[in-house]
Amino acid sequence: MSFDAADRSAVAQFVRTCGAGVVASVGSDAEPQAAFVGLTATDDGLLVLDALESSRKVANVRARPRVAVVVTDADVTVQLEGRARVSVDDERRRLGEAYRARFPGSRALADGFAVIAVEVHWVRVYDAGAHPPRVTEAAWS
């Protein structure tokens, strides 16, 4: 299942297929905080997740938007780094609907929930199923 880290649509499809990953953010004490979350992606590679408004993730993203995300299946691991934001207004509605399309019944657009968008800046794809294993990296502008 090799694909290149520069291929935004392939990376997005991988994220949508896996549907979950670990998001790491930076807490107010400058310590890392990680959480396993449901994830989807738009065709252009924007990552989308939801979280309780009261969660550490939301507070961290608002204060320190740099995040790292890891998504994996049996053979392929994708590492992504970028800047996150809590979506508002039309973007919140549009991305919340995209999240609900991937996760029917999601509460992403309910009161008390935030929709977080991650603009990816760097990607690394490691495919252990290829022989030899294949690694690609890309900076996304």
Side-chain angles (χ1 to χ4, degrees):
M1 173 198 227
S2 285
F3 56 92
D4 192 278
D7 186 343
R8 288 177 187 246
S9 64
V11 171
Q13 183 58 42
F14 180 79
V15 170
R16 284 192 296 263
T17 298
C18 291
V22 175
V23 175
S25 59
V26 180
S28 60
D29 57 359
E31 292 295 321
Q33 297 175 354
F36 185 73
V37 298
L39 282 170
T40 193
T42 62
D43 289 339
D44 61 354
L46 183 74
L47 303 181
V48 182
L49 61 133
D50 74 343
L52 284 168
E53 279 283 351
S54 60
S55 71
R56 296 185 314 171
K57 279 184 296 304
V58 171
N60 292 349
V61 163
R62 285 192 166 122
R64 292 159 302 284
R66 293 177 51 211
V67 299
V69 179
V70 177
V71 180
T72 189
D73 71 5
D75 293 322
V76 178
T77 299
V78 177
Q79 297 169 240
L80 308 107
E81 295 177 359
R83 295 186 67 82
R85 65 179 175 273
V86 176
S87 298
V88 296
D89 302 328
D90 289 340
E91 183 186 55
R92 179 178 190 272
R93 205 168 10 269
R94 180 176 55 83
L95 296 179
E97 290 297 333
Y99 191 84
R100 283 205 302 205
R102 174 61 179 87
F103 301 103
S106 162
R107 298 180 294 167
L109 292 173
D111 289 341
F113 280 80
V115 176
I116 298 173
V118 179
E119 293 273 353
V120 175
H121 297 150
W122 177 84
V123 180
R124 180 178 191 268
V125 176
Y126 175 78
D127 184 350
H131 299 287
R134 183 170 185 254
V135 178
T136 60
E137 292 184 9
W140 291 2
S141 55

